[in-house]
């Protein structure tokens, strides 16, 4: 790397040799080490995810899979506690990829008065090089869902080149895209693909290597995705009979992963139910209890006035999103939104749009227009790429809007604007926001079914079906169950503890403390291991445990919780949210992979700013490799540790008194002999 030498060689040049070599006068000790040993006693450590004592740098294998500067500094600080230490010297490229905050470590070093001097190794800019910097996609999706992964590709020294980015599903290419590299920096890419097989899928995102590239191990990243084939239930409630409900059911009829239960008010206290599991489901109309409503993963609310619901039901629907974590889709209509009297209700807080009460009639024809965010969002992509999808949206026939919705709330995102044909102010057609643990969406039109039946739409056009399938899958894709499993990371290092965390809730989705929670971990060998999870105390319903993977491969994790006490424990929940099943259990599981990590290959340039921060905040100094030899002369003695300062007048020290007397006597004898007295 730096001046044609490997960073490991630079370490040896600075600190090489052993104590025995130095004492024997062997001149192979590192240049900096010799200078330091003239003034100090040294204690050497090597570190990756932790620090350990060594006798010489030659003992290091340089094979660590990840680096934790906080853990290394904390270990040294703790071992040096109480000793008179003048400082810590850290020679590193600044890699810190263990995802541990360093601020607390620096505060502890400041409190002990222990300066850290950093020596930055390696070049800040690695070129030529291209790497897959980051991949973002959901941890879970339904089978057959069209997904869009947000990929960041960074590059240096390759301006003007074009490279290919592929995504593979266990070796089979499911998506590809050509990427044009501009000036040095990062290129955001949206890569679309569809996963047809269920179960845990290992996705590999790879950008092709360039001849002469400095580092090639950073050209690929893996991501673990769970593809479910279960059936999710969505409740669709309309306050009046209108075509929208029938065409929505038609659009998702062939989708085996969606069960849309419809409830239509046909007269006062009379309802028509469809797609229910039995006569015991919704017998009195819209749910009146949280247990009844929370069995669904999603809720669609059509044209029904707010006065139909009790205050508790309105609050219950808001809690369905914020507390239960469900998805809610509110459609436009004469009895919806502000026109339906929802302004000022608990439900209005959950919506992504401001409900401004209109002055009068508000019917207008509108045409859709994608916003910049809408062009990127996968749920409303009608074709294979963003450009053609935007063109398809622009060609759709007009719909009608009766709700004056013109503002989204702070934090909400507008995806589609509604452009009125009469030239009046632009409205919001489609917007969403995260509210608590769930997602709320407003689709501000009353006749989207026209995109199926309009005279300008070809008979074989699937725009309406595609849009509704994707909207409903987006609506419920991350709805949690009552036992939510969080593995913290989907890729674990071998023989290092990883955290298994679970959140346990009852049937009302209130968090449960003090339950008996266990995780069953089944590794590649097929042998299950039980890991007890203990309540963290810091948060309600949160339990944690540690597991150490000892062999590479895929691991399956199931979590079960039971109430303490009694002869027969009552099941609280099992696994991760995969269904909206009512009762005392929710089936599901989570996955992670264990094996060698490649974190050290990403962001391989020297992180000078981090190293300067460490030295500046602890009272040390930052050095480059060329400046490192100055450190031995500039480092100062400190009074850290159990140091006792003693002050003595010079005349009270016998050796100085004897020396002074000797000098005076010698001078008198000399002057006498020279007759100078």
């Amino acid at each position: 790397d730096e001046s044609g030498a490997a960073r490991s060689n630079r370490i040896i040049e600075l600190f090489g040799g052993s104590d025995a070599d130095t004492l024997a006068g062997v001149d192979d000790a590192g240049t900096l080490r010799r200078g330091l040993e003239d003034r100090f006693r040294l204690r050497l450590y090597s570190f990756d995810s932790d620090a350990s004592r060594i006798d010489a740098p030659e003992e290091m294998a340089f094979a660590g899979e990840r680096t934790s500067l906080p853990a290394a500094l904390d270990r040294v600080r703790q071992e040096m506690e109480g000793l008179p230490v003048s400082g810590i010297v850290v020679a590193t490229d600044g890699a810190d990829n263990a995802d541990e905050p360093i601020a607390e470590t620096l505060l502890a070093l400041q409190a002990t008065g222990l300066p850290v001097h950093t020596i930055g190794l390696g070049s800040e800019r690695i070129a030529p090089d291209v790497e897959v910097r980051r991949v973002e996609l959901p941890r879970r999706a339904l089978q057959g869902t069209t997904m869009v992964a947000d990929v960041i590709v960074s590059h240096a020294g390759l301006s003007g080149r074009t490279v290919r980015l592929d995504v593979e599903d266990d070796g089979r290419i499911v998506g590809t895209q050509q990427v044009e590299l501009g000036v040095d920096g990062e290129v955001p890419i949206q890569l679309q693909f569809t996963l047809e097989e269920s179960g845990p899928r290992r996705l590999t995102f790879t950008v092709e290597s360039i001849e002469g590239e400095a580092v090639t191990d950073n050209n690929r990243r893996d991501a673990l995705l769970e593809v479910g084939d279960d059936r999710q239930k969505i409740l669709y409630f309309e306050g009046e009979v209108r075509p929208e409900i029938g065409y929505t059911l038609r659009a998702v009829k062939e989708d085996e992963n969606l069960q849309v239960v419809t409830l239509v008010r046909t007269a006062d206290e009379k309802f028509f139910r469809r797609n229910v599991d039995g006569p015991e489901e919704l017998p009195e109309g819209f749910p009146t209890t949280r247990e009844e409503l929370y069995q669904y993963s999603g809720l669609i609310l059509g044209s029904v006035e707010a006065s139909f619901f009790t205050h508790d039901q309105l609050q219950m629907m808001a809690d369905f999103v914020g507390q239960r974590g469900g998805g809610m889709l509110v459609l436009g209509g004469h009895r919806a939104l502000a026109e339906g009297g929802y302004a000022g209700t608990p439900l209005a807080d959950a919506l992504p749009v401001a409900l401004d009460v209109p002055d009068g009639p508000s019917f207008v024809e509108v045409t859709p227009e994608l916003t910049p965010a809408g062009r990127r969002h996968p749920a409303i992509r009608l074709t294979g790429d963003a450009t053609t999808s935007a063109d398809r949206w622009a060609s759709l026939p007009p719909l009608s809007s009766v709700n004056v919705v013109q503002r989204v709330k702070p934090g909400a995102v507008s995806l589609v604007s509604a452009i009125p044909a009469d030239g009046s102010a632009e409205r919001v057609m489609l917007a969403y926001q995260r509210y608590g643990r769930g997602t709320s969406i407003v689709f501000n039109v009353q006749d989207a079914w026209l995109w199926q039946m309009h005279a300008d739409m070809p008979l074989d056009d699937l725009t309406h079906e595609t849009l509704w399938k994707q909207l409903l899958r987006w609506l419920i894709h991350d709805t949690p169950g009552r036992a939510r499993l969080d593995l913290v990371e989907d890729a674990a290092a071998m023989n290092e503890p990883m955290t298994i965390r679970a959140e346990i809730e009852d049937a009302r989705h209130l968090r449960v403390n003090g339950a008996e929670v266990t995780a069953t971990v089944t590794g590649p060998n097929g042998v299950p291991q039980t890991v007890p999870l203990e309540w963290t105390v810091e948060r309600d319903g949160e339990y944690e445990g540690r597991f150490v993977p000892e062999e590479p491969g895929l691991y399956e994790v199931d979590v079960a919780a039971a109430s303490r006490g009694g002869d027969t424990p009552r099941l609280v929940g099992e696994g991760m949210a995969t269904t909206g099943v009512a009762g005392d259990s929710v089936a599901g599981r989570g996955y992670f992979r264990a094996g060698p990590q490649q974190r050290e290959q990403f962001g391989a340039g020297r992180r000078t700013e981090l190293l300067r921060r460490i030295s500046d905040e602890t009272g040390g100094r930052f050095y480059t490799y060329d400046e490192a030899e100055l450190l031995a002369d500039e480092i100062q003695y400190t009074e850290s540790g159990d140091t006792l300062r003693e002050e003595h007048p010079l005349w009270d020290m016998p050796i100085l008194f004897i020396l002074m007397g000797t000098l005076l006597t010698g001078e008198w004898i000399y002057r006498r002999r020279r007759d100078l007295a």
Side-chain angles (χ1 to χ4, degrees):
D1 175 29
E2 198 173 24
S3 303
R7 297 173 189 178
S8 56
N9 291 340
R10 295 302 195 195
I11 293 286
I12 304 301
E13 291 172 9
L14 291 173
F15 297 97
S18 64
D19 291 336
D21 293 334
T22 303
L23 292 173
V26 179
D27 192 27
D28 68 347
T31 54
L32 177 58
R33 182 175 179 179
R34 289 199 305 269
L36 290 172
E37 285 180 334
D38 288 341
R39 302 177 59 199
F40 305 96
R41 287 186 59 189
L42 302 186
R43 181 175 291 188
L44 299 182
Y45 291 81
S46 67
F47 70 96
D48 43 26
S49 59
D50 200 357
S52 59
R53 286 286 303 276
I54 59 173
D55 292 325
E58 288 84 355
E59 298 179 14
M60 293 191 292
F62 299 101
E65 295 181 358
R66 55 181 174 177
T67 301
S68 175
L69 280 169
L73 290 170
D74 281 336
R75 171 62 64 89
V76 174
R77 177 183 58 81
Q78 292 167 6
E79 290 194 7
M80 296 293 101
E81 189 172 5
L83 298 179
V85 182
S86 287
I88 300 174
V89 177
V90 183
T92 176
D93 56 14
D96 185 19
N97 44 43
D99 302 324
E100 298 176 14
I102 199 170
E104 292 185 5
T105 299
L106 297 181
L107 288 173
L109 290 167
Q110 291 175 21
T112 58
L114 194 58
V116 179
H117 305 277
T118 54
I119 302 173
L121 302 176
S123 304
E124 290 185 327
R125 179 176 180 267
I126 306 296
D129 185 54
V130 58
E131 76 169 44
V132 181
R133 176 64 57 86
R134 187 168 69 250
V135 174
E136 293 183 359
L137 75 166
R139 294 287 295 271
R140 188 178 184 280
L142 286 175
Q143 184 177 6
T145 298
T146 298
M147 306 189 64
V148 175
D150 291 307
V151 184
I152 301 295
V153 172
S154 65
H155 64 98
L158 297 171
S159 298
R161 300 289 295 269
T162 299
V163 296
R164 188 182 71 254
L165 175 66
D166 295 328
V167 55
E168 300 177 21
D169 177 10
D170 287 332
R172 180 173 59 90
I173 295 179
V174 294
T176 187
Q177 186 168 324
Q178 297 294 321
V179 182
E180 295 183 3
L181 305 179
V183 297
D184 290 3
E186 296 183 344
V187 182
I189 303 157
Q190 286 196 316
L191 187 59
Q192 181 171 319
F193 55 94
T194 302
L195 299 177
E196 299 294 348
E197 297 184 38
S198 62
R201 314 306 305 172
R202 182 181 184 180
L203 303 180
T204 302
F205 295 81
T206 306
V207 61
E208 64 178 312
S209 301
I210 303 296
E211 184 177 356
E213 192 173 349
V215 183
T216 57
D217 289 338
N218 60 6
N219 288 42
R220 56 180 289 163
R221 275 190 184 270
D222 291 337
L224 191 63
L225 177 69
E226 182 187 354
V227 180
D229 61 354
D230 49 301
R231 194 170 177 83
Q232 299 274 13
K233 293 182 70 175
I234 300 173
L235 174 60
Y236 182 176
F237 179 45
E238 279 282 4
E240 58 183 326
V241 179
R242 59 176 186 167
E244 195 68 53
I245 195 166
Y247 283 98
T248 299
L249 288 176
R250 175 179 172 179
V252 300
K253 180 180 179 181
E254 304 300 325
D255 195 326
E256 297 181 355
N257 298 116
L258 296 176
Q259 178 184 351
V260 181
V261 177
T262 61
L263 181 69
V264 183
R265 182 180 60 184
T266 56
D268 288 343
E269 299 186 6
K270 293 186 180 295
F271 303 92
F272 174 71
R273 299 174 297 166
R274 189 172 177 183
N275 289 345
V276 295
D277 289 332
E280 70 282 353
E281 185 172 359
L282 304 175
E284 304 297 330
F286 193 82
T288 57
T289 66
R290 280 165 169 73
E291 291 86 348
E292 189 179 9
L293 178 61
Y294 288 3
Q295 68 175 301
Y296 300 98
S297 298
L299 172 64
I300 304 174
L301 196 60
S303 183
V304 53
E305 67 280 3
S307 59
F308 168 82
F309 303 103
T310 66
H311 182 275
D312 185 62
Q313 284 177 312
L314 292 169
Q315 183 63 59
M316 184 174 66
M317 286 188 283
D319 292 342
F320 174 82
V321 182
Q323 178 181 297
R324 188 255 188 272
M328 181 172 64
L329 172 61
V330 177
L331 305 178
H334 289 282
R335 300 173 180 174
L337 301 170
E339 287 73 11
Y342 286 91
T345 67
L347 187 61
D349 296 335
L351 300 181
V353 297
L355 300 185
D356 300 318
V357 180
D359 296 329
S362 55
F363 177 89
V364 66
E365 274 198 345
V366 294
T367 54
E369 181 180 282
L370 291 182
T371 66
R375 288 174 173 268
R376 299 189 302 269
H377 204 283
I380 61 171
R381 188 168 290 185
L382 301 178
T383 59
D385 62 84
T387 301
T388 57
S389 176
D391 294 340
R392 183 69 187 115
W393 274 94
S395 67
L396 292 174
L399 303 177
S400 61
S401 171
V402 295
N403 306 103
V404 183
V405 178
Q406 297 175 331
R407 297 184 297 124
V408 297
K409 294 178 180 177
V413 180
S414 175
L415 299 177
V416 185
S417 298
I419 310 301
D422 61 3
S424 57
E426 180 180 302
R427 298 183 181 183
V428 177
M429 180 177 288
L430 183 63
Y432 79 97
Q433 74 171 1
R434 292 292 300 180
Y435 180 75
R437 298 174 63 185
T439 301
S440 64
I441 308 169
V442 166
F443 191 18
N444 181 31
V445 291
Q446 64 172 354
D447 48 10
W449 60 272
L450 286 176
W451 287 342
Q452 175 68 44
M453 299 302 294
H454 196 278
D456 294 341
M457 302 293 290
L459 292 177
D460 58 351
D461 188 275
L462 298 177
T463 297
H464 186 261
E465 289 90 340
T466 300
L467 177 62
W468 272 101
K469 284 181 181 180
Q470 294 181 175
L471 274 180
L472 296 189
R473 283 170 171 261
W474 172 37
L475 185 70
I476 48 82
H477 81 278
D478 61 351
T479 301
R482 287 164 39 205
R484 183 165 62 174
L485 180 63
D486 181 5
L487 294 174
V488 182
E489 53 186 351
D490 58 14
M494 297 293 300
N495 300 312
E496 290 191 15
M498 68 166 294
T499 301
I500 299 175
R501 183 180 299 124
E503 295 179 1
I504 306 300
E505 299 175 346
D506 62 15
R508 291 168 56 88
H509 283 264
L510 299 176
R511 298 194 175 190
V512 177
N513 298 329
E516 295 181 358
V517 184
T518 58
T520 302
V521 183
T522 305
N525 58 10
V527 178
Q529 300 180 57
T530 300
V531 180
L533 306 185
E534 300 294 334
W535 180 33
T536 63
V537 180
E538 297 177 357
R539 295 184 180 179
D540 288 336
E542 185 177 86
Y543 299 79
E544 279 189 2
R546 295 292 186 95
F547 175 78
V548 179
E550 297 179 350
E551 59 180 308
L554 181 68
Y555 287 76
E556 178 183 290
V557 183
D558 290 279
V559 171
S563 299
R564 296 184 186 274
D567 297 332
T568 304
R570 180 177 62 84
L571 192 66
V572 176
E574 293 181 352
M576 191 170 63
T578 57
T579 68
V581 179
D584 283 335
S585 66
V586 180
R589 56 180 52 92
Y591 302 88
F592 71 91
R593 282 188 176 273
Q597 305 291 296
Q598 294 291 328
R599 296 189 181 190
E600 292 292 319
Q601 309 300 326
F602 295 89
R606 185 181 76 211
R607 303 181 187 181
T608 303
E609 291 305 315
L610 174 60
L611 297 179
R612 288 189 185 277
R613 176 190 174 189
I614 293 172
S615 56
D616 290 346
E617 293 191 16
T618 59
R621 180 182 166 186
F622 168 77
Y623 298 83
T624 64
Y625 170 79
D626 294 331
E627 301 168 338
E629 293 185 26
L630 301 175
L631 189 152
D633 295 325
E634 294 180 353
I635 195 169
Q636 300 294 319
Y637 293 100
T638 69
E639 297 183 6
S640 64
D642 296 333
T643 303
L644 178 63
R645 179 188 293 269
E646 293 185 0
E647 296 185 4
H648 300 279
L650 290 177
W651 291 108
D652 289 347
M653 299 182 68
I655 185 64
L656 292 179
F657 182 79
I658 294 172
L659 179 61
M660 185 65 70
T662 302
L663 289 174
L664 291 174
T665 303
E667 181 193 25
W668 181 80
I669 294 173
Y670 177 80
R671 294 173 71 86
R672 291 279 295 178
R673 288 183 177 181
R674 295 286 183 175
D675 294 328
L676 298 175

